[in-house]
Every structure is written in structure tokens, then in C-alpha cells.
């Protein structure tokens, strides 16, 4: 009778065929089985089977029990321990056995045999499991454990051989890892995989069981070449990868198949061997990793140490010990540090940020990262601490240098604020000097500022070391010396103790580095040590120099802006500023008032609000030209502006660029209102047409003067068609030459000149004058005025001729009259003699007048040339001449050591003044001549003690009276003095009611 412990149908159990010959009963609980009525119990592999079997063993120890179902190594081993035969599904499928044959075999054994067999099997299983447990807990290497596992299996199965292999599937060979028993092969031998049962085993998921090789069809298989006739083996694997096999066998066949319990035990051995292989591999990899980690930790530049959960050192690398050495309680005993308590070994760490962070990491099991200063070593460290269940791993990186750089950068940032707050270049230089010591850490600092007017680099701020140890530093021109070359090249230059590079006494300076400050100056920093300039110091110095350059540029811009603002606030010019997009940025009140706009209505708007379209287009073209050619130049356009009421205002706009360090930033327009000029032009048009002189309107171009129009007088004078003249060159209409129009560069009016030009009436003389009145796209606009003076020149020639004849005849005639009057004076007496004397005096005055006229003529004709003379010589010569001519005259003079041009003219003027005093100031007059020089002008004061020059004669010289009112040579003499001073570029004035004559003359260098 067959009983089951649950309600599952038996057709789920493999090999149920043939059960119809038994009386089968199915129960769900072992308690319902009567041992007296049951011959065999089949228990299906379900939950609770262990409890069912244990109850059957207690209630019916003599009844055989079979466990049926899918096999697992654990269930098979447990069934064997309980003395239950396992009829697994795999075993029934792989053999010709059925569940019925297994039941029949169990029933065929006598009850005492069944009990004995069960007891023996149970004992064997218990013994084998205890031995296997002992192996698993032993502190042995994998090869030793593997041999013990093989020995346990060999004994359990009762076979001759146990062995384990390592299989290379690529070469299809196997190698004996371990061998136990009396085997036909030894450990370390290698065989072709085809000659071993292992080739089949390695390809299976389960065991390969061969009880009798020949009987089971393996007679012709090369696997029997190994000498084995029975075989039971499974795949040895590690981490999911098949590694080899664990096998057992004998050279003779087995008398019975391998039971399920034996299969299960071998599977257990294979699993344990695989587990030990994995563990051996893990430990090997872990040891290798530890070695690699130790090597890495010793090689890294960071410090590292590890502590366990009791805060005892487990490892510390060399760098870590160097860091802790200054704080270790007993630094000489490094070898004793592993195993020592962290807080005892390093007491200075107690109570610090380090302890707080380490303990927090261990308590929270969260990594921590922080930076802190460690007092004993006076250094900053960046710390990464990683907690685990085993303890704490700590990485220490010395960040002192980085912290120093950060502090320097922080100082540099503060310095930058000071630089931006400084208002002038000298204050900025002082800030840079002070910052150099704090930021760069060098004791020698000298800031030079570029003086554009003198074209030199001037020392502006120096450190105490420079002032104390070094001689006064010289001025340098760009390109001269170390600072000059650094300034000119725009790059850092180095001094390394070369005396020729650094003139004067360099003190203790051994190395220096000079940085250019743009176009503002230089920064030189140095040290008494000849150490190389580290990269971080160079970077900091470069940043300081860049910030200083920006501050100096800003100060310069602000100074320029202050000037612009002052101009804007105080100048009534019409000026506007637009940016590169054409947006109006600034506009003076004068322009807003002229156009009638409110500031808010136009500032910030497009400039086209009040610029006509043609002005916009022309302005853009001019700005493009300025950008492409000359950022410092300007262009003037003639256009119209629009008022708020739509009225057009004719203007000239002088355009120039608004440039910054980054280039073009907009433009500035200076507006000149041409409304009155246009009205004048309209009036002038009428004058132009009616002007009796010949006038040409021309534009001075690169190709010469090009005619725009001519007036009727020009057309008549030169025989030109007025309609055909515009557009032609002037020298095509008037010959010869173009009459100096091309030479009128920048001046409004040229000096008039006399020229001769060909006309239809022949060669005639003109007084030519050029007048510039405006600018056009073609060039300056000029009027050329030709006044015909041919007849006047002829009249002047006739007058000069008659003057010479008249003077010659008068002189001769007056000489005859004077001679006869002398005879009459000697021969007459009485009233007749008196009349003769008066006539003689009059004749003598005529000679004097004639002499004065000749002197005036020579003075007028005289042209001041290179006759420059010292003032003292000129005054002294005039004084000597006057004293010789008039012994009663006293002349005193005191003049400065200066020179004047036109010495002949000045001496003539002084002669006239001294003669005037000698004749009209009394019997023994005194003259004082004193002079002084101020602002390039010589002031001569000629003072006498006489009655002074009459007011009427002074008025003649000032223009208040006509020259025909002069009655004697005294007036002509003063007129000569006036003309001489004017010819010398000076002036004539009177003081002290005519007693002092003041001459102001330019000094000649």
C-alpha cells in the first residue's frame, strides 16, 4: 500500500508507471498512516515533508520510506541524514528504473536489513557531513581543502579515486588540480579533454553518473582511456563561470547505480568546492588589491591613514606620518603606530575640527570633506574621511600653498576695490605699492607712471626697502632700461643681478620682474633672494598689474570725463554724442534750445529724430572713412537739421570718433549753425554779381582749384563765358598759374599779393586776395578776388618820378634861396635884416623838412631782416649820438640783456626821441631810458624832464587828427617813431602827460 503526505496527485511524480499492481492509498497527513497496514510509504517533495518523515520514523521505524520529486542538493542530503531513500525525478529519467521498481526493491529487503541499512546510511551521512563542516571551517588554503573534500567523497562513495580538474575549453585540455586515492594519473598532469568523462560533465548542468562504463555504452568512448570504469562528477564553477570538474571513480565497474543520496552528496561536495574556489579567488584578489592599494597609498602625494572602530591605527603611509610627525606623542617610534590609539598617539588632534569631523563621520557612516588648519604643523589640510563598518579611512592633502594663494587673491580682491575707489594716478600707484608686498610677498616694489608730455617713466611709489637701500631711481624713456623695454614691448622682463640692466645702487636686490601697466607705466617687484619667480606669484603679479592698468585707465577716463562734463556745463557749443547704433547719448542745452526739443524726448532715441536722411547717409560714410583711416581725425559735412516744428536749419557738423579701449564706440558731432551764413550768402550773391572786381568761386581739390562760378566782372575781365566756366580748372581760364588758392590751407584770408595776368586787353596788374568761406565734399571753398590796379600802378610810378624831380628841384632852388638870404642878412640892417633872417630860418626849416622826409622814406622802405642786435648796444649807440650832437643833453639808461630785430629802425626811432628832447625840453634836459622784459615783450620807457609832447601832436599819431595839421619837423619825427615801432611788430604809447614815450617790442630769441 502506498501513502502520500499531501493531496497532490501521484501523476506529478516521475516513473509512476506500474503502480497499478499495488494497493495505493493517498493521505494528506502522516498521522493517518497505520504501520500495521502499510508496506511502504512514498512521500512527495512538498512543504512539511521533513516533519512527516520524522513522524513516520518515530511511529513506524521499520516501514521503508521513499522521497519522490525534483532533486536539490540540500533536500537529498537531508533525506540521507533521515534515512530516507530519495527517488528523484532526474534519477528516474536517466535510468531504466521506475518508482514501482524502487518500491519493489524496498519491500524485498527484510525489515531488519532495512533498519540496519537505514541506520548505516544515516551514520555515513552524519560522518561525512561533520568532516565536510570541519573542512569549511578550517584555516587552510584552497588546494589543501580541495584534497580533503576529494578524500571525503572518495571515502563516502567507496571508490578508488577522487580528483579535481582545471579545463581549458579553447585548447580542449584538462589539468589535474588535485588527486586522492590510487589513481592512474597524478596532480599536475594534463590530458586531452576528449579522453576524459569530464568532457561530458562540463557540458551538463548536473552530475554525470556512470556505474559501469562498458555496460552503459562507453566501451568505445576515448573517455575510458583514462582507465576509469565507473565515474560520478560535476562541474566546478566560480562566480558563475565553469572552471573544471570534481570527480570520483574506480578502475572497475560498480555493482549498483549511484543512489540519489550519493548523487546529492557529490553535488554538495561540488558546491562546497566551488564555494571554496570562489573564496580563494576573492581572497587572492583581495590580497592583490591590498598590495596594490598599499603601493598606491605609498606613492600618492596625499597623506593617508586608517583606523578601526576602536580608533586604533591600522595603516599610515609615509606622507601621512610626515604630516602627523610633529604632533605624534612619540615620533621616534613609528613602527609602534599601527595598533595605537589615534587620540593617544596624536593628542593635539583632540578637541579640534579634525576630531569633531571624524567622530561625526563614524557615527553617521557618511563621508565627510572639510578644510582645517592643524596647529602643530602650522599647515592647512584638505581632508576626505570615508567611514565603513571596519573603521575610517582618511586622506590628508596639504593645501597650505593653495590657502596662501586664496588669501592673496582675497587681498587682491580687496586691493581691486581700493584701486577702483582711488581718484587719481598717484593714489593708485600707492595702492599698488602696498598691495605688492601683501599679495606677492616681495619686499622691493617700484611703480612708475608714464609722463606723456615728457615721454618718460617717472617713479611714483616705492616700498620702504627700495627707498632705504637703493639709490634714487632714474627716469626712463620708452625702450630705455628694464622698465622702458618692458613698457615698450608690453611684456614682463626679468632682472637677475645684472648691474648693466639696473643702474645705480641696487642694494640687496638679487632678482626683479618688471610688468607693463598698459600705456600707463610699469610695476617692478623684486627680492633679495635669487629664487625663480614661481608660477603662482607671477600669476598674482600679472593680476595685480592688470587691475592696476584697469584702474589707471579708469582714472584717466574719469579725468577726461570730468573735463568733458566741465566743457558740457560751461561751453555754449552745440554738441551731441551718439553710440555705435546711432542712439543719442548726450546733447548740450544749446543744441536742444536751437532745435526746440526737450531732453527727455530725444536722449535715448535714434539720432534720425533731427537729422535729415541725406545727413544720416553722409554721416555714416564719413564715419566709415574715419574708422578705416584715422581714429583721431574728423570730417565736416554741410547738411540740415530738423527742428521740433519741422523747420530746416542749415548747419556744418564736425564729426569725430568716440573711441574706447575696445575701439569704436560712437561719434561726437559739433554743430555750427549756418543760418546767418546762408543769409549772408544770399546777400553776398547780390554783391558777387555787382562786385566791380573780378571774383571766382572755386573748390580747392587734389587736382587744383576747380571753378564753381564767376561774376560778370570776371567774365568781362578775362573773356570767359560764365555759363561754361563751372567745373573747369582755374588755371585753364587764367594764365599763368592758379594764384595761390591751393596754398590757402586752414586760413580764412590769405595776404593780398600783386600779380600779372593775361587779359583780352593784354597783360594787366591785379591785387589778388583769396578768402576761404566754407568746406565741401570736394575740399575747401575759396573766393579769389582780382582787383585791377594797372592804372593805379601807373599813377604811382608817375608820382614817384615827379616826387624825385620835385625834391631835386626844391633842394636845388632852396639852396640858391638860402645862399642869397645869407648874403642879404650880412648886408642888410634894421628891419630889412630882420625880415631877411626870418626868411633864412624858413628856408632852413624847408631843408630840415626835406631831410626828415628823406629819413621817413628810408624808414618806410626799410624791411626788417636778420639785423638782430642786443638792446643795450642799440640804446647805447643812440645815447652816444645824442650826447655828441647835443652836449647839454644828459642820457641815462638801464636796459635788460635782451635782443630785438630791426636794430636800424629802433636806433632811428631812439635818435628822433632824443633829438626831440634836446630841441624842445629846455637848455639842459635829462633823459632816462629804462626797460624790462616780461612774457616775451620788451617795454622801453623814454622819460624827460621837459614840458612833454603836446596833446595835438599825440593825437596825430593816435589818428584823432590828420597829418596835414603838423606844422614842423617835430611831428614828422614822432610819426617816424610810430612807424618804426609798428614795423618792428610793437606799439607806441604816451604817459605822464606826454613826458614819457612807451615802446613795446617783441623779444627775439
Amino acid at each position: 500500500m502506498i501513502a502520500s503526505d499531501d493531496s497532490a496527485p501521484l501523476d506529478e511524480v516521475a516513473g509512476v508507471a506500474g503502480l497499478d499492481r499495488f494497493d495505493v492509498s493517498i493521505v494528506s497527513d502522516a498521522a493517518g498512516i497505520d504501520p500495521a497496514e502499510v508496506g511502504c510509504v512514498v512521500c512527495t517533495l512538498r512543504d512539511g515533508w521533513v516533519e512527516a518523515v520524522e513522524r513516520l520514523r518515530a511511529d513506524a521505524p521499520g516501514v521503508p520510506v521513499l522521497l519522490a520529486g525534483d532533486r536539490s542538493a540540500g533536500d537529498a542530503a537531508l533525506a540521507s541524514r533521515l534515512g530516507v531513500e530519495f527517488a528523484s525525478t532526474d534519477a528516474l529519467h536517466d535510468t531504466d528504473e521506475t518508482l514501482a521498481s524502487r518500491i519493489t526493491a524496498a519491500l524485498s529487503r527484510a525489515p531488519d536489513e532495512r533498519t540496519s541499512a537505514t541506520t548505516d546510511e544515516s551514520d555515513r551521512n552524519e560522518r561525512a557531513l561533520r568532516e565536510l563542516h570541519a573542512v569549511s571551517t578550517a584555516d587552510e588554503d584552497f588546494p589543501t581543502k580541495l584534497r580533503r573534500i576529494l578524500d571525503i567523497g572518495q571515502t563516502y562513495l567507496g571508490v578508488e579515486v577522487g580528483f579535481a580538474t582545471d579545463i581549458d575549453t579553447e585548447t580542449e585540455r584538462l589539468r589535474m588540480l588535485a588527486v586522492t586515492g590510487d589513481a592512474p594519473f597524478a596532480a599536475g598532469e594534463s590530458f586531452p579533454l576528449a579522453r576524459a568523462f569530464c568532457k561530458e560533465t562540463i557540458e551538463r548542468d548536473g552530475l554525470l553518473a556512470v556505474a559501469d562504463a562498458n555496460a552503459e555504452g562507453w566501451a568505445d568512448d576515448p573517455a575510458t582511456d583514462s582507465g576509469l570504469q565507473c565515474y560520478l562528477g560535476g562541474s566546478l564553477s566560480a562566480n558563475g563561470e565553469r572552471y573544471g570538474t570534481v570527480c570520483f571513480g574506480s578502475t572497475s565497474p560498480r555493482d549498483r547505480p549511484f543512489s540519489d543520496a550519493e548523487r546529492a552528496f557529490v553535488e554538495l561536495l561540488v558546491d562546497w568546492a566551488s564555494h571554496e574556489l570562489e573564496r580563494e579567488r576573492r581572497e587572492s584578489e583581495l590580497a592583490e588589491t591590498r598590495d596594490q592599494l598599499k603601493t598606491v597609498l605609498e606613492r600618492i602625494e596625499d597623506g593617508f591613514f586608517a583606523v578601526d572602530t576602536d580608533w586604533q591605527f591600522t595603516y599610515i603611509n609615509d606622507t601621512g606620518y610626515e604630516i602627523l610627525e610633529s604632533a605624534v606623542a612619540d615620533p621616534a617610534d613609528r613602527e609602534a603606530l599601527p595598533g595605537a590609539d589615534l587620540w593617544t598617539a596624536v593628542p593635539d588632534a583632540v578637541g579640534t575640527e579634525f576630531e569633531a569631523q571624524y567622530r561625526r563621520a563614524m557615527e553617521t557612516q557618511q563621508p565627510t570633506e572639510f578644510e582645517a588648519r592643524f596647529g602643530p604643523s602650522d599647515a592647512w589640510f584638505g581632508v576626505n574621511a570615508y567611514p565603513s563598518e571596519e573603521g575610517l579611512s582618511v586622506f590628508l592633502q596639504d593645501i597650505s600653498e593653495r590657502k596662501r594663494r586664496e588669501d592673496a587673491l582675497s587681498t587682491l580682491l580687496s586691493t581691486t576695490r581700493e584701486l577702483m575707489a582711488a581718484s587719481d594716478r598717484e593714489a593708485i600707484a600707492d595702492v599698488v605699492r602696498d598691495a605688492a608686498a601683501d599679495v606677492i610677498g616681495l619686499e622691493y616694489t617700484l611703480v612708475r607712471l608714464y609722463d606723456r608730455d615728457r615721454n618718460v617713466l617717472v617713479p611714483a611709489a616705492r616700498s620702504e626697502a627700495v627707498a632705504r637701500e637703493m639709490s634714487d631711481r632714474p627716469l626712463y624713456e620708452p625702450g630705455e632700461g628694464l622698465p622702458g623695454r618692458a613698457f615698450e614691448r608690453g611684456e614682463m622682463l626679468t632682472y637677475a643681478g645684472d648691474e648693466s640692466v639696473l643702474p645705480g645702487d641696487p642694494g640687496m636686490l638679487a632678482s626683479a620682474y618688471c610688468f607693463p601697466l598698459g600705456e600707463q607705466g610699469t610695476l617692478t617687484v623684486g627680492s633679495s633672494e635669487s629664487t625663480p619667480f614661481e608660477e603662482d606669484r607671477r600669476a598674482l603679479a600679472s593680476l595685480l598689474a592688470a587691475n592696476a592698468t584697469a584702474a589707471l585707465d579708469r582714472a584717466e577716463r574719469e579725468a577726461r570725463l570730468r573735463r568733458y562734463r566741465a566743457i558740457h556745463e560751461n561751453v555754449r557749443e552745440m554738441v551731441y554724442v551718439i553710440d555705435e547704433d546711432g542712439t543719442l547719448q548726450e546733447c548740450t542745452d544749446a543744441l536742444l534750445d536751437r532745435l526746440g526739443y526737450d531732453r527727455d524726448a530725444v536722449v535715448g532715441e535714434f539720432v534720425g529724430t533731427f537729422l535729415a536722411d541725406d545727413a544720416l547717409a553722409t554721416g555714416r560714410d564719413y564715419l566709415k572713412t574715419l574708422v578705416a583711416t584715422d581714429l583721431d581725425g574728423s570730417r565736416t559735412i554741410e547738411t540740415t537739421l530738423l527742428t521740433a516744428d519741422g523747420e530746416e536749419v542749415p548747419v556744418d557738423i564736425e564729426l569725430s570718433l568716440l573711441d574706447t579701449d575696445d575701439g569704436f564706440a560712437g561719434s561726437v558731432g559739433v554743430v555750427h549753425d549756418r543760418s546767418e551764413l546762408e543769409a549772408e550768402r544770399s546777400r553776398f550773391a547780390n554783391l558777387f554779381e555787382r562786385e566791380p572786381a573780378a571774383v571766382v568761386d572755386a573748390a580747392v581739390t587734389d587736382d587744383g582749384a576747380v571753378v564753381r562760378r564767376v561774376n560778370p566782372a570776371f567774365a568781362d575781365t578775362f573773356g570767359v563765358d560764365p555759363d561754361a566756366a563751372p567745373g573747369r580748372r582755374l588755371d585753364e581760364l587764367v594764365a599763368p598759374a592758379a594764384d595761390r588758392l591751393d596754398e590757402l590751407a586752414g586760413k580764412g584770408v590769405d595776404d593780398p599779393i600783386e600779380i600779372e595776368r593775361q587779359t583780352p586787353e593784354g597783360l594787366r596788374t591785379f591785387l589778388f586776395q583769396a578768402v576761404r568761406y566754407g568746406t565741401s565734399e570736394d575740399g575747401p571753398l575759396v573766393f579769389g578776388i582780382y582787383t585791377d590796379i594797372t592804372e593805379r600802378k601807373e599813377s604811382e610810378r608817375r608820382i614817384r618820378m615827379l616826387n624825385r624831380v620835385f625834391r631835386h628841384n626844391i633842394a636845388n632852388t632852396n639852396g640858391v634861396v638860402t645862399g642869397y638870404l645869407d648874403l642879404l642878412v650880412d648886408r642888410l640892417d634894421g628891419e630889412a635884416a630882420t625880415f631877411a633872417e626870418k626868411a633864412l630860418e624858413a628856408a632852413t626849416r624847408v631843408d630840415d623838412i626835406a631831410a626828415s622826409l628823406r629819413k621817413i622814406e628810408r624808414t618806410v622802405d626799410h624791411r626788417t631782416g636778420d639785423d638782430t642786435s642786443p638792446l643795450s648796444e642799440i640804446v647805447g649807440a643812440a645815447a652816444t649820438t645824442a650826447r655828441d650832437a647835443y652836449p647839454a643833453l644828459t642820457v641815462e639808461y638801464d636796459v635788460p640783456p635782451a635782443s630785438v630785430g630791426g636794430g636800424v629802425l629802433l636806433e632811428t626811432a631812439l635818435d628822433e626821441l632824443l633829438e626831440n628832447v634836446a630841441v624842445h625840453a629846455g637848455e639842459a634836459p635829462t633823459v632816462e631810458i629804462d626797460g624790462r622784459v616780461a612774457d616775451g615783450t620788451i617795454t622801453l620807457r623814454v622819460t624827460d624832464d621837459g614840458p612833454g609832447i603836446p596833446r595835438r601832436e599825440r593825437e596825430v599819431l593816435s589818428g584823432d587828427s590828420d597829418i596835414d595839421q603838423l606844422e614842423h619837423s617835430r611831428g614828422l619825427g614822432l610819426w617816424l617813431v610810430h612807424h618804426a615801432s609798428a614795423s618792428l611788430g610793437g606799439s607806441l604809447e604816451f604817459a605822464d602827460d606826454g613826458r614819457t614815450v612807451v615802446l613795446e617790442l617783441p623779444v627775439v630769441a
Side-chain angles (χ1 to χ4, degrees):
M1 183 172 93
I2 302 175
S4 176
D5 71 324
D6 60 18
S7 59
L10 287 176
D11 57 9
E12 292 183 10
V13 180
V16 297
L19 291 181
D20 54 353
R21 65 176 181 270
F22 301 107
D23 184 8
V24 178
S25 296
I26 300 175
V27 296
S28 60
D29 189 352
I33 298 176
D34 185 358
E37 301 294 331
V38 175
C40 180
V41 176
V42 177
C43 182
T44 57
L45 191 61
R46 303 292 187 187
D47 290 340
W49 71 268
V50 175
E51 291 80 1
V53 170
E54 289 176 342
R55 175 139 190 188
L56 284 172
R57 280 285 166 258
D59 294 343
V63 177
V65 179
L66 275 70
L67 183 63
D70 294 333
R71 181 183 62 205
S72 70
D75 291 334
L78 186 55
S80 177
R81 184 174 61 82
L82 295 174
V84 175
E85 185 177 345
F86 195 4
S88 68
T89 302
D90 292 341
L92 297 179
H93 279 165
D94 295 342
T95 65
D96 294 335
E97 292 184 296
T98 64
L99 185 58
S101 65
R102 287 289 190 96
I103 294 172
T104 301
L107 291 172
S108 65
R109 292 193 290 272
D112 56 345
E113 291 178 355
R114 291 199 298 269
T115 301
S116 176
T118 298
T119 301
D120 292 343
E121 182 70 17
S122 178
D123 292 343
R124 184 177 66 152
N125 289 341
E126 289 287 350
R127 183 173 58 254
L129 289 173
R130 283 195 301 270
E131 293 177 354
L132 190 58
H133 176 71
V135 171
S136 66
T137 58
D139 185 14
E140 298 173 340
D141 58 13
F142 175 69
T144 302
K145 288 186 175 183
L146 183 59
R147 285 193 297 272
R148 291 182 62 182
I149 290 172
L150 293 175
D151 189 60
I152 292 170
Q154 177 191 348
T155 302
Y156 178 82
L157 296 174
V159 295
E160 299 172 355
V161 180
F163 61 93
T165 67
D166 172 11
I167 297 176
D168 187 344
T169 55
E170 293 184 2
T171 62
E172 294 190 348
R173 293 187 68 81
L174 63 81
R175 180 176 61 89
M176 293 296 172
L177 292 177
V179 179
T180 61
D182 188 11
F185 39 76
E189 290 190 45
S190 177
F191 302 96
L193 186 59
R195 293 174 53 197
F197 289 102
C198 296
K199 70 177 180 179
E200 182 72 18
T201 305
I202 200 70
E203 294 177 357
R204 287 180 172 229
D205 291 334
L207 299 178
L208 173 63
V210 179
D212 187 343
N214 291 334
E216 296 178 20
W218 291 82
D220 298 329
D221 195 290
T224 58
D225 293 346
S226 63
L228 299 178
Q229 287 297 309
C230 75
Y231 174 88
L232 180 60
S235 297
L236 179 65
S237 62
N239 300 320
E241 296 182 2
R242 294 189 177 181
Y243 181 77
T245 58
V246 174
C247 312
F248 302 94
S250 296
T251 56
S252 58
R254 206 163 188 258
D255 59 355
R256 67 184 182 279
F258 291 105
S259 68
D260 284 347
E262 291 171 333
R263 289 169 178 261
F265 188 73
V266 170
E267 285 185 342
L268 184 61
L269 293 178
V270 171
D271 288 345
W272 280 56
S274 296
H275 172 72
E276 292 296 334
L277 176 61
E278 289 181 0
R279 187 168 68 174
E280 189 272 341
R281 282 191 168 185
R282 283 197 302 272
E283 290 180 352
S284 176
E285 291 173 355
L286 183 59
E288 183 179 353
T289 301
R290 285 197 190 99
D291 292 341
Q292 292 176 349
L293 179 60
K294 184 176 180 180
T295 301
V296 170
L297 291 175
E298 290 297 339
R299 289 180 179 177
I300 62 175
E301 295 181 357
D302 294 348
F304 173 82
F305 68 87
V307 295
D308 59 18
T309 55
D310 295 326
W311 300 103
Q312 293 180 344
F313 282 103
T314 59
Y315 178 79
I316 184 168
N317 68 355
D318 291 342
T319 306
Y321 187 77
E322 290 174 2
I323 292 173
L324 298 179
E325 186 175 12
S326 60
V328 171
D330 187 5
D333 191 7
R334 177 183 177 182
E335 300 300 327
L337 200 57
D341 179 74
L342 168 62
W343 313 116
T344 303
V346 190
D348 288 329
V350 176
T352 65
E353 180 73 7
F354 295 90
E355 181 186 17
Q357 292 283 354
Y358 293 163
R359 292 190 182 279
R360 186 180 301 114
M362 289 285 276
E363 291 170 2
T364 62
Q365 286 295 295
Q366 294 294 321
T368 184
E369 180 179 356
F370 64 96
E371 295 178 356
R373 179 178 171 275
F374 191 46
S377 60
D378 193 26
W380 279 84
F381 294 97
V383 184
N384 291 83
Y386 302 95
S388 68
E389 295 180 357
E390 289 77 24
L392 187 69
S393 298
V394 179
F395 289 87
L396 299 167
Q397 183 180 21
D398 190 337
I399 60 171
S400 302
E401 189 62 25
R402 194 200 78 198
K403 294 294 288 186
R404 188 190 69 77
R405 290 196 300 270
E406 289 176 354
D407 291 343
L409 287 174
S410 177
T411 303
L412 185 60
L413 178 61
S414 176
T415 298
T416 301
R417 297 192 187 99
E418 292 183 42
L419 288 173
M420 292 301 108
S423 59
D424 55 57
R425 301 174 79 210
E426 288 71 20
I428 291 172
D430 291 340
V431 173
V432 173
R433 174 202 59 204
D434 297 340
D438 297 334
V439 174
I440 308 172
L442 298 179
E443 63 270 32
Y444 296 92
T445 303
L446 178 60
V447 180
R448 283 183 169 87
L449 296 178
Y450 179 57
D451 186 332
R452 289 181 172 82
D453 294 335
R454 294 190 289 168
N455 191 35
V456 291
L457 292 163
V458 181
R462 68 195 73 198
S463 65
E464 292 183 3
V466 173
R468 181 179 61 252
E469 299 178 14
M470 303 177 69
S471 59
D472 290 342
R473 309 317 299 153
L475 306 181
Y476 288 110
E477 293 184 0
E480 180 184 8
L482 184 71
R485 291 200 305 277
F487 178 77
E488 185 176 66
R489 298 177 186 176
E491 61 183 21
M492 186 201 79
L493 295 180
T494 303
Y495 162 76
D498 186 353
E499 188 68 24
S500 63
V501 174
L502 199 65
D505 182 7
M508 301 298 293
L509 186 67
S511 60
Y513 310 91
C514 188
F515 294 84
L517 302 180
E519 297 180 357
Q520 302 293 341
T522 60
L523 165 63
T524 304
V525 294
S527 173
S528 58
E529 300 177 2
S530 58
T531 55
F533 206 32
E534 300 91 343
E535 188 63 32
D536 62 333
R537 279 189 171 181
R538 180 178 301 181
L540 289 171
S542 297
L543 282 174
L544 177 60
N547 289 341
T549 302
L552 289 167
D553 289 342
R554 175 195 54 78
E556 187 175 55
R557 287 194 301 271
E558 289 182 352
R560 190 163 57 243
L561 182 59
R562 287 192 293 271
R563 292 195 296 271
Y564 290 159
R565 286 174 179 168
I567 293 173
H568 174 72
E569 293 171 358
N570 297 286
V571 175
R572 293 295 299 170
E573 292 288 343
M574 295 188 291
V575 181
Y576 67 84
V577 179
I578 61 174
D579 62 18
E580 63 269 26
D581 298 323
T583 301
L584 187 67
Q585 299 296 316
E586 186 55 80
C587 188
T588 61
D589 293 339
L591 182 57
L592 291 173
D593 293 343
R594 179 65 183 89
L595 299 180
Y597 287 103
D598 291 332
R599 178 176 297 276
D600 295 339
V602 291
V603 174
E605 300 296 328
F606 184 58
V607 73
T609 301
F610 56 76
L611 275 182
D613 292 340
D614 62 334
L616 283 173
T618 304
R620 287 194 183 101
D621 292 340
Y622 278 21
L623 288 176
K624 289 178 181 178
T625 302
L626 285 172
V627 171
T629 57
D630 184 5
L631 288 174
D632 295 327
S634 64
R635 295 288 189 278
T636 300
I637 59 175
E638 183 178 314
T639 185
T640 56
L641 297 182
L642 303 176
T643 67
D645 298 331
E647 176 189 353
E648 291 187 351
V649 179
V651 296
D652 287 335
I653 302 178
E654 184 179 357
L655 288 176
S656 57
L657 296 183
L658 182 65
D659 64 311
T660 65
D661 295 339
D662 298 325
F664 173 65
S667 62
V668 178
V670 180
V671 180
H672 301 284
D673 192 343
R674 291 190 296 108
S675 299
E676 295 183 2
L677 178 61
E678 290 298 318
E680 289 295 327
R681 283 183 179 178
S682 178
R683 291 191 295 271
F684 181 77
N686 291 327
L687 295 175
F688 183 80
E689 295 295 324
R690 301 174 185 277
E691 170 63 36
V695 182
V696 58
D697 181 3
V700 181
T701 70
D702 294 338
D703 296 328
V706 177
V707 175
R708 303 177 74 208
R709 57 179 173 164
V710 297
N711 70 344
F714 186 96
D716 293 341
T717 299
F718 295 103
V720 175
D721 182 355
D723 296 329
R728 297 180 64 185
R729 290 176 55 177
L730 182 59
D731 56 10
E732 296 176 1
L733 304 179
V734 178
D739 304 331
R740 295 180 64 193
L741 289 180
D742 295 347
E743 300 175 11
L744 190 65
K747 296 184 293 182
V749 180
D750 205 352
D751 295 331
I753 58 172
E754 289 186 10
I755 59 174
E756 290 186 342
R757 292 294 177 263
Q758 195 68 39
T759 70
E761 298 178 1
L763 189 65
R764 298 188 65 83
T765 302
F766 297 91
L767 185 64
F768 174 77
Q769 187 173 29
V771 180
R772 177 174 175 173
Y773 68 89
T775 303
S776 70
E777 294 182 8
D778 298 325
L781 300 178
V782 180
F783 287 121
I785 303 171
Y786 298 82
T787 302
D788 192 338
I789 59 172
T790 305
E791 285 77 9
R792 192 185 73 186
K793 293 290 288 184
E794 183 63 28
S795 297
E796 288 178 354
R797 282 193 294 273
R798 287 196 297 269
I799 289 172
R800 282 195 297 272
M801 180 186 68
L802 292 175
N803 179 47
R804 285 194 298 273
V805 172
F806 176 75
R807 283 188 298 164
H808 179 269
N809 292 338
I810 284 293
N812 290 339
T813 302
N814 196 57
V816 174
V817 171
T818 301
Y820 282 114
L821 288 174
D822 281 336
L823 294 175
L824 289 175
V825 168
D826 293 337
R827 295 181 181 183
L828 296 176
D829 53 17
E831 187 177 6
T834 301
F835 290 154
E837 288 177 354
K838 290 184 178 293
L840 181 58
E841 290 177 1
T844 302
R845 284 199 299 273
V846 170
D847 284 340
D848 291 340
I849 291 172
S852 295
L853 288 175
R854 286 194 296 273
K855 187 181 294 184
I856 290 173
E857 184 177 20
R858 288 195 302 272
T859 302
V860 171
D861 291 339
H862 180 79
R863 292 292 181 265
T864 303
D866 297 331
D867 54 338
T868 300
S869 302
L871 180 61
S872 59
E873 293 184 4
I874 298 172
V875 173
T880 300
T881 300
R883 292 187 190 110
D884 292 343
Y886 304 99
L889 177 65
T890 300
V891 181
E892 298 175 353
Y893 62 89
D894 181 14
V895 295
S899 297
V900 294
V904 174
L905 282 178
L906 181 56
E907 186 177 346
T908 301
L910 292 174
D911 288 343
E912 290 296 324
L913 290 174
L914 294 176
E915 182 181 353
N916 182 72
V917 172
V919 173
H920 300 287
E923 295 182 358
T926 299
V927 180
E928 293 181 358
I929 305 175
D930 65 84
R932 61 183 179 86
V933 176
D935 299 327
T937 300
I938 297 175
T939 301
L940 279 179
R941 298 175 64 88
V942 181
T943 304
D944 63 72
D945 54 0
I949 299 172
R951 179 178 58 82
R952 184 177 56 189
E953 294 187 8
R954 299 199 304 268
E955 289 176 350
V956 170
L957 295 177
S958 64
D960 295 335
S961 298
D962 295 332
I963 194 171
D964 56 11
Q965 295 177 357
L966 295 175
E967 297 178 352
H968 47 72
S969 60
R970 182 182 184 188
L972 290 177
L974 289 176
W975 188 90
L976 188 149
V977 173
H978 178 273
H979 177 77
S981 62
S983 298
L984 292 173
S987 63
L988 171 66
E989 294 181 356
F990 298 95
D992 300 331
D993 198 21
R995 285 188 294 276
T996 299
V997 178
V998 182
L999 293 173
E1000 289 190 348
L1001 306 171
V1003 175
V1004 177

